[in-house]
Amino acid sequence: MAFRECAAKSSAFAKLAYAYTHREEAAKAAKAAGKRVIATLGCDVPEELLCAAGMMPYPIYALPGGNMEMADKYLEYAFDPLVRAQFQRIVDGSLNDFCDAVVVSNSTDVLVRTYLYLREMKRVETDVAFPPVYFIDWLFTRKRMHQERNCLVVSLFKEELEELAGRRIAEEDIRKAAVLCNRTRSLLRQVDSFRTAQKVQLTGAEMLVVCGSGFYMDREEYNKVLEELLAELPSWPQVHGRRIFYTGSVQTDTALYEEVEETGGIVVGEDTDWGDRYFDRDYNLEMPSTRALVDRYMLREFSSKKAFVSQRVDALNREVDKAKADSVLFYFHIYEEAASWDYPSQRESLEGRGIATAHFAKMHWPKTEEEQQAFSSDLRKLIAGEGA
Amino acid sequence: MAEKQQSKSSVVKKLKATAAASAYQKEWFASLAKRVEAGEDFAYLNADVPMEIFRAMDIPFVVNQWWAAICGAKQMTAKYYGLLKEAGYRDDLCSYCATAFAESLDPDDHAIGPDGRPLGPWGGLPHPTIAITRLTCDCQSKIFELFAKSHGASFYAMENTVPRKAPLNWYEMVEDDWDDLYDTDRLDAAVEELGELIRFLEEKTGRKYDESGLIEVMNLINEQESWYKKTRDLIADCSPVPVTVVDTINAVMQAQWQRGTRWAADHARSLYGEIKALADAGEAAVPNEKYRLMWLGRGIWHDFGFYQRFEEKYGAVFMWSMYLAMGADSYIRNHVEEDPLRALAARYIGMEDFLHMPPWNSSWFLQQARRNKIDGVVYMVPENCMQAVEGSYFIKKTLEDAGFPVLEFKADPVDARKWNAQSMTALVEDFIENRIIE
C-alpha cells in the first residue's frame, strides 16, 4: 500500500493502517486477555450483540492468491473466489487458536451453502478441526411480517450467544454496545464526508483502510483514533480526479482502488460492506433491542445480493448522487453473478442521467494478465469520461 | 464388456401414459391460452412456489421449470440466449431460470412462420399477469422481476428459510410426522407466508380462497404421489426393470405439474397399472440389463437419448432419477384436514431442503441407491446455477463410502450450445468400463 504524504505522516492513519495490515493482532490480544473472539462471515452479523456479550467480532477476511486445497476439496466451482478463500481459512485451522466460534449470516446465497457445508463437515469430517458454527437466517424482503420474523431470528441468535457467553445479555448491555457502534458509524460518516465533498481530501483507498481497520481493532480505541483522524483531515490536501462510484465485489485490500486512483480517478463511494454500506444506518436507541437490530440490519440500503433489480437501480442512483460521482465502476468476481442481472437496468438508468459506466464481470482474483490489460484500458476510458 | 443386444427402450418409452400426458398437456396449454386470451389472470410460477393455492383458487398457471424444459426440448435456447446478449445481459448465467425471460424478448414468440407454424414453442407463452418466485437464490428474484416487467405482470416474491433440523431419515417422517420434521417457527412463518400470498391473489384476481378446495387438491396430490410411490417401489423390485428414466421422467413430470387435479391422480394410477402389467409380463426395458444406473441432477432436456446410449453396449440402464422418486418420497402429507395450510407449508418449504441441502439430499440418495440396487451413479452438477449447488462433495462421499461408484460432471440441463454428446457419452462409457464393470 502506498499512501499520500499526509496519510503517511498521520499518526492516526498509521494506527489504522497498522490494524488493517495486522488483522489478527487485536483479536489474538483479546483472546489472550480472556475475551471470546467470534469470527463472522457475512455482513449481517449484529456486532452490537457480540459486543454486548463481551465478545470481539472478527470478520473473516481473505487475500488473493493463497492455498485453496481445502476449499477445492469441499466447494463446487460456483463459489466465488473470496468466499472460497474465507472458507479455506475456516477449515484449514487458521482460526483455531484465537476464535471461539464462527457466525455465518445468510447475506448471500453462497454463504447459506457455506454454512450448510460447515455444518455437514462437523457431522461427517470429524478430523477437520474448526470452531463451532452458528447461523443467522434473516429474511430480506421488508414486509412487516418479515420484520417480525427477523425479531425472532435475532432472539434465537441472542440465546445462542448467551449460551456461548455463559451469561444473560441484558438490554442495558446491548444499549451500551449500540451507543458505541453508533458512535463508530457517526465518526465514519464524518470521515467519509471528506471523500464525498466537492473538495475531496480523502481517497477511496485511504477510506478503505479507515473503514476496514475498525474490524480489527478494539472498538473504543478505534473510535478514539477516528476522532484524532477527524481533527487532522481538514488540513489534508485536496485530491483531484474523476469521481468514480464503485459497485461490486467487496474489496478487502486496497489494490483495486489504488489502481483506479493511480489512473486518475477517485473512488468517492461504494456500496459494499467494507465501505459505505457498513455505516449507512444507525441502531435506533428508542426501540427495544430486537426491533432496533432488525431495523439496523434489514432496513439498510439494499445490497447487491438480496434485492430486486428495481430496488438496486434506485439504490445505486441514490448512492451515486450522494457521492456526487461522475462515473460508476461495476466490478464482479467470477461466480459472483447475481448483480449481473441488475447491470443492464442500472446502466440504462445511469447513462440516461449522463453518468458513464464500465462493467467487469467474471473477474478472477487476482486478475489474470488478459483481464488486467482489458481492465486498464477500459478504466482509462471511464476516467476519460467514456463508458466502457 | 456387455454382450450387444437390441435395446427395447425406444419401444418401451412409448408408454401409453407418456403419450396420454403429452396429449393432455397440449390440450391443457391450449385451453390455458384461451383463458388468458379471454382476459383471465395467468400466473407464472417457479417450481417451488406452492401451486396448490393456485389450483384451489382456479388461477391458471405455468411452472417455470416445465416451460424451460419445453423450450429446451424445442431447441429454442440458442436463439433465446442470443436475445439476452443483445439486450445487454450475460448469456451464460442461470439458463434454467432465465429461459422464459429470454423468450419474453423474442418479438416472434407469438408469430406464425411462413409455413403456417407458430414460431414460439407451442405458439409462445401467453402473457402472464402474475410472476411469483421464492427467494431461494440471489439471482432468481431478479430474473423473475425482469420477466414480470417484460410481460407487464405483477411480481411477487415469497421468502425462504433454512432448516435448523437435519434429520437423516426425513423420508420416513415426511408423510405423517411432518409437523415434527420441520422447525416449528419455520412452519409458522411459512403458513403466514401462504396467508399473505392468498391475500395478494384475492386482491389481484378477485377470486376467493376456499379451504375445502385446498383440502381436495391436497388429497388428490396425496393420491397421485402414492401411485408414484408404488411405481417407484415396483421398479426398484424388478430385475430387469420394465422401464427406464426415459420412460418415467416425461410421464411423471408432465403430470406432476398438473398435480392436484383428478386427471393427474388418475394418470398416476394408469402409469402404475401400465408398468405393473409390463413387470408382470416379464418385460425388460433393456433385455441384457447388467448395470443399474442412478441419475442425479436435472434432466438433459435437449438430449434425452443420452440416457439410452449405454444400454446396448453395456446393458447399463438409467433406472432411477429424482423425478419419480421425489414425488414418491417428499410430496405426500397426510392429515391434511387438520390444518391444510400448515400441511401445504410442510410440503413447499421442504423442497429446497431435500433437493439442495446436505445431509437431507445425501442421506436420501443413499437410501434410494440401496433400495434400487444401484451399480453406479452419474451425477450432473449444473454449470451455471448456484441454487443447484447442493454439497456434491458430501453426496459423492456418502455414496462412495457406501460402495456406490459416482461419476460427477458439469453440464447445462437446457443450454444445448454447451453440450457435447460425444464427449459426455465417452465420459460415461469410461466410468462404466473402469468403475462399474471392474
Side-chain angles (χ1 to χ4, degrees):
Chain A
M1 291 187 299
F3 296 106
R4 292 179 300 152
E5 196 182 349
C6 55
K9 283 183 176 172
S10 160
S11 64
F13 191 84
K15 288 175 201 165
L16 299 172
Y18 183 86
Y20 191 75
T21 50
H22 297 77
R23 296 182 184 180
E24 271 84 34
E25 207 165 288
K28 285 182 174 171
K31 178 70 180 170
K35 204 168 184 173
R36 285 189 174 80
V37 176
I38 308 298
T40 64
L41 192 59
C43 57
D44 298 297
V45 180
E47 57 183 2
E48 292 86 349
L49 272 186
L50 297 178
C51 294
M55 300 168 176
M56 180 166 186
Y58 171 81
I60 301 169
Y61 73 93
L63 297 172
N67 177 347
M68 289 291 119
E69 191 183 339
M70 301 279 274
D72 291 344
K73 178 177 176 183
Y74 292 104
L75 306 184
E76 287 93 345
Y77 61 96
F79 286 68
D80 68 73
L82 177 60
V83 171
R84 294 187 88 78
Q86 289 169 320
F87 177 89
Q88 172 75 25
R89 291 198 66 225
I90 296 171
V91 299
D92 72 2
S94 297
L95 310 178
N96 291 3
D97 62 339
F98 68 102
C99 291
D100 295 278
V102 175
V103 179
V104 182
S105 68
N106 62 337
S107 311
T108 169
D109 195 41
V110 71
L111 294 182
V112 177
R113 261 59 182 179
T114 301
Y115 162 69
L116 293 169
Y117 289 16
L118 291 171
R119 183 175 76 174
E120 187 64 353
M121 286 179 74
K122 283 283 180 199
R123 193 179 72 84
V124 298
E125 304 280 287
T126 48
D127 55 332
V128 183
F130 56 91
V133 184
Y134 298 82
F135 184 61
I136 308 179
D137 193 19
W138 294 107
L139 301 183
F140 289 89
T141 42
R142 299 178 176 200
K143 290 178 183 170
R144 183 175 164 274
M145 71 171 181
H146 298 137
Q147 292 185 40
E148 285 185 358
R149 162 82 187 171
N150 282 333
C151 288
L152 173 73
V153 169
V154 168
S155 303
L156 290 172
F157 178 56
K158 185 179 160 215
E159 281 171 23
E160 290 180 322
L161 276 186
E162 286 175 333
E163 198 174 315
L164 195 59
R167 68 170 174 87
R168 209 180 129 258
I169 304 172
E171 276 290 298
E172 190 49 33
D173 295 332
I174 302 173
R175 186 183 168 79
K176 276 185 196 163
V179 168
L180 191 65
C181 294
N182 275 356
R183 177 68 183 149
T184 299
R185 290 187 277 261
S186 166
L187 290 165
L188 283 170
R189 285 194 291 270
Q190 291 174 60
V191 171
D192 196 47
S193 69
F194 287 87
R195 173 169 74 141
T196 56
Q198 208 60 55
K199 178 188 171 187
V200 178
Q201 290 171 279
L202 185 72
T203 68
E206 288 160 357
M207 187 62 204
L208 272 188
V209 173
V210 172
C211 187
S213 56
F215 300 147
Y216 303 104
M217 289 176 76
D218 171 81
R219 184 50 58 97
E220 287 185 12
E221 185 194 339
Y222 179 54
N223 285 354
K224 279 183 200 160
V225 178
L226 289 179
E227 284 167 5
E228 286 173 34
L229 181 69
L230 271 171
E232 294 177 11
L233 278 173
S235 65
W236 285 23
Q238 185 174 358
V239 191
H240 298 278
R242 188 164 185 90
R243 300 175 72 100
I244 308 286
F245 187 88
Y246 173 83
T247 179
S249 299
V250 68
Q251 294 300 311
T252 55
D253 64 62
T254 57
L256 188 80
Y257 279 27
E258 285 181 48
E259 191 175 349
V260 172
E261 294 179 337
E262 281 162 10
T263 311
I266 320 167
V267 182
V268 288
E270 63 280 301
D271 55 10
T272 65
D273 289 279
W274 279 52
D276 285 348
R277 194 167 180 270
Y278 172 68
F279 50 84
D280 86 341
R281 190 178 181 93
D282 281 341
Y283 176 107
N284 186 335
L285 294 165
E286 305 301 315
M287 291 177 170
S289 64
T290 50
R291 191 76 213 175
L293 288 166
V294 170
D295 181 89
R296 149 78 184 120
Y297 284 90
M298 293 296 95
L299 299 182
R300 301 192 269 173
E301 192 56 280
F302 293 102
S303 84
S304 62
K305 308 288 173 49
K306 292 291 180 188
F308 308 137
V309 174
S310 56
Q311 292 169 330
R312 284 294 301 150
V313 169
D314 292 345
L316 188 57
N317 285 340
R318 278 192 294 273
E319 289 161 325
V320 166
D321 287 348
K322 197 167 141 192
K324 298 180 274 295
D326 307 313
S327 306
V328 177
L329 170 61
F330 293 78
Y331 187 98
F332 296 96
H333 290 150
I334 188 165
Y335 299 125
E336 203 176 338
E337 319 284 27
S340 288
W341 291 107
D342 299 332
Y343 171 65
S345 305
Q346 289 175 318
R347 182 189 58 196
E348 186 183 358
S349 178
L350 290 166
E351 292 183 353
R353 302 163 64 229
I355 293 167
T357 67
H359 182 242
F360 303 91
K362 298 169 75 171
M363 300 298 282
H364 289 81
W365 191 64
K367 296 189 280 288
T368 63
E369 266 183 43
E370 199 179 318
E371 285 171 348
Q372 181 62 60
Q373 282 177 7
F375 177 73
S376 300
S377 162
D378 286 352
L379 181 63
R380 280 194 294 275
K381 286 184 201 163
L382 183 71
I383 287 169
E386 304 164 26
Chain B
M1 178 97 33
E3 189 186 340
K4 278 196 175 187
Q5 288 189 27
Q6 182 62 45
S7 167
K8 282 193 179 176
S9 263
S10 58
V11 178
V12 178
K13 82 173 178 181
K14 289 178 184 164
L15 285 171
K16 285 179 198 155
T18 309
S22 296
Y24 178 84
Q25 70 176 359
K26 280 182 184 151
E27 266 175 44
W28 158 78
F29 190 80
S31 70
L32 179 145
K34 277 187 189 158
R35 288 178 70 179
V36 178
E37 207 176 308
E40 283 195 55
D41 278 299
F42 163 44
Y44 192 80
L45 311 179
N46 200 54
D48 52 7
V49 170
M51 65 166 73
E52 293 81 351
I53 296 291
F54 297 80
R55 185 82 69 209
M57 293 177 74
D58 192 28
I59 299 168
F61 63 87
V62 157
V63 175
N64 180 49
Q65 281 70 5
W66 172 76
W67 186 247
I70 296 288
C71 294
K74 294 283 176 192
Q75 310 284 332
M76 299 301 289
T77 48
K79 178 185 185 188
Y80 290 165
Y81 301 146
L83 291 169
L84 273 183
K85 199 168 185 177
E86 275 175 33
Y89 294 93
R90 282 173 55 186
D91 64 347
D92 59 349
L93 285 181
C94 310
S95 56
Y96 217 40
C97 294
T99 297
F101 168 52
E103 179 198 8
S104 76
L105 305 175
D106 183 0
D108 294 332
D109 196 38
H110 298 103
I112 303 293
D115 59 356
R117 291 180 169 194
L119 295 176
W122 290 14
L125 184 70
H127 290 296
T129 57
I130 302 166
I132 306 186
T133 190
R134 287 180 64 214
L135 301 177
T136 47
C137 149
D138 294 343
C139 295
Q140 211 164 47
S141 63
K142 294 175 188 286
I143 296 167
F144 263 72
E145 193 197 25
L146 291 167
F147 169 87
K149 190 177 173 192
S150 188
H151 282 287
S154 300
F155 168 62
Y156 187 91
M158 296 183 73
E159 271 288 2
N160 181 51
T161 53
V162 173
R164 295 193 296 283
K165 287 185 180 177
L168 297 180
N169 63 335
W170 62 266
Y171 40 82
E172 291 167 2
M173 299 173 68
V174 75
E175 291 183 19
D176 294 307
D177 300 331
W178 47 263
D179 214 15
D180 291 331
L181 179 60
Y182 300 102
D183 307 289
T184 301
D185 59 274
R186 272 188 92 204
L187 272 180
D188 293 343
V191 171
E192 266 201 74
E193 195 80 43
L194 287 172
E196 189 79 3
L197 172 67
I198 290 166
R199 274 190 288 281
F200 166 76
L201 292 174
E202 286 180 334
E203 184 77 17
K204 171 77 183 165
T205 67
R207 292 175 189 271
K208 295 296 169 215
Y209 168 68
D210 165 11
E211 188 138 297
S212 58
L214 180 63
I215 291 171
E216 189 186 343
V217 165
M218 295 288 284
N219 282 328
L220 281 168
I221 293 173
N222 284 344
E223 185 183 329
Q224 179 182 354
E225 309 301 335
S226 297
W227 287 113
Y228 293 149
K229 189 169 192 136
K230 284 168 75 82
T231 306
R232 191 272 317 271
D233 290 346
L234 170 69
I235 296 169
D237 291 337
C238 287
S239 188
V241 291
V243 288
T244 74
V245 297
V246 173
D247 307 306
T248 55
I249 288 178
N250 278 329
V252 168
M253 290 317 291
Q254 290 174 16
Q256 192 64 275
W257 304 126
Q258 303 294 334
R259 66 179 182 265
T261 63
R262 182 75 259 161
W263 176 85
D266 289 346
H267 181 269
R269 186 187 58 203
S270 72
L271 175 69
Y272 172 77
E274 202 177 354
I275 295 175
K276 178 79 166 58
L278 289 171
D280 289 347
E283 284 279 348
V286 180
N288 66 328
E289 176 185 307
K290 288 193 174 161
Y291 308 109
R292 294 156 77 98
L293 301 179
M294 181 181 217
W295 174 259
L296 292 186
R298 295 162 175 173
I300 302 286
W301 306 120
H302 48 75
D303 186 11
F304 233 52
F306 171 76
Y307 297 110
Q308 296 179 299
R309 288 189 194 125
F310 318 97
E311 294 175 352
E312 287 186 18
K313 190 169 177 184
Y314 301 104
V317 50
F318 278 101
M319 55 81 65
W320 191 97
S321 82
M322 67 173 176
Y323 292 102
L324 174 60
M326 69 182 173
D329 279 342
S330 74
Y331 280 43
I332 298 168
R333 297 293 182 278
N334 295 325
H335 324 301
V336 168
E337 288 79 2
E338 290 166 25
D339 190 343
L341 280 183
R342 200 166 183 82
L344 174 56
R347 177 184 294 140
Y348 89 85
I349 63 170
M351 288 187 184
E352 179 67 5
D353 304 355
F354 84 85
L355 279 177
H356 296 137
M357 293 184 189
W360 292 69
N361 51 10
S362 53
S363 64
W364 180 49
F365 295 150
L366 175 60
Q367 185 257 358
Q368 283 297 294
R370 285 178 170 146
R371 176 77 180 81
N372 286 271
K373 300 179 280 292
I374 291 296
D375 295 299
V377 180
V378 180
Y379 179 13
M380 184 193 77
V381 180
E383 258 201 330
N384 55 18
C385 177
M386 189 66 208
Q387 191 183 28
V389 167
E390 57 199 3
S392 56
Y393 169 84
F394 303 102
I395 292 170
K396 191 174 175 189
K397 176 182 165 57
T398 301
L399 289 164
E400 291 201 328
D401 284 356
F404 298 99
V406 178
L407 167 67
E408 181 185 337
F409 68 91
K410 292 189 285 183
D412 190 310
V414 291
D415 191 350
R417 298 172 307 172
K418 299 176 187 167
W419 181 251
N420 183 327
Q422 205 173 0
S423 64
M424 290 300 175
T425 303
L427 197 66
V428 176
E429 287 189 344
D430 180 69
F431 172 67
I432 292 169
E433 287 177 16
N434 294 305
R435 300 283 311 281
I436 298 180
I437 295 177
E438 282 196 350

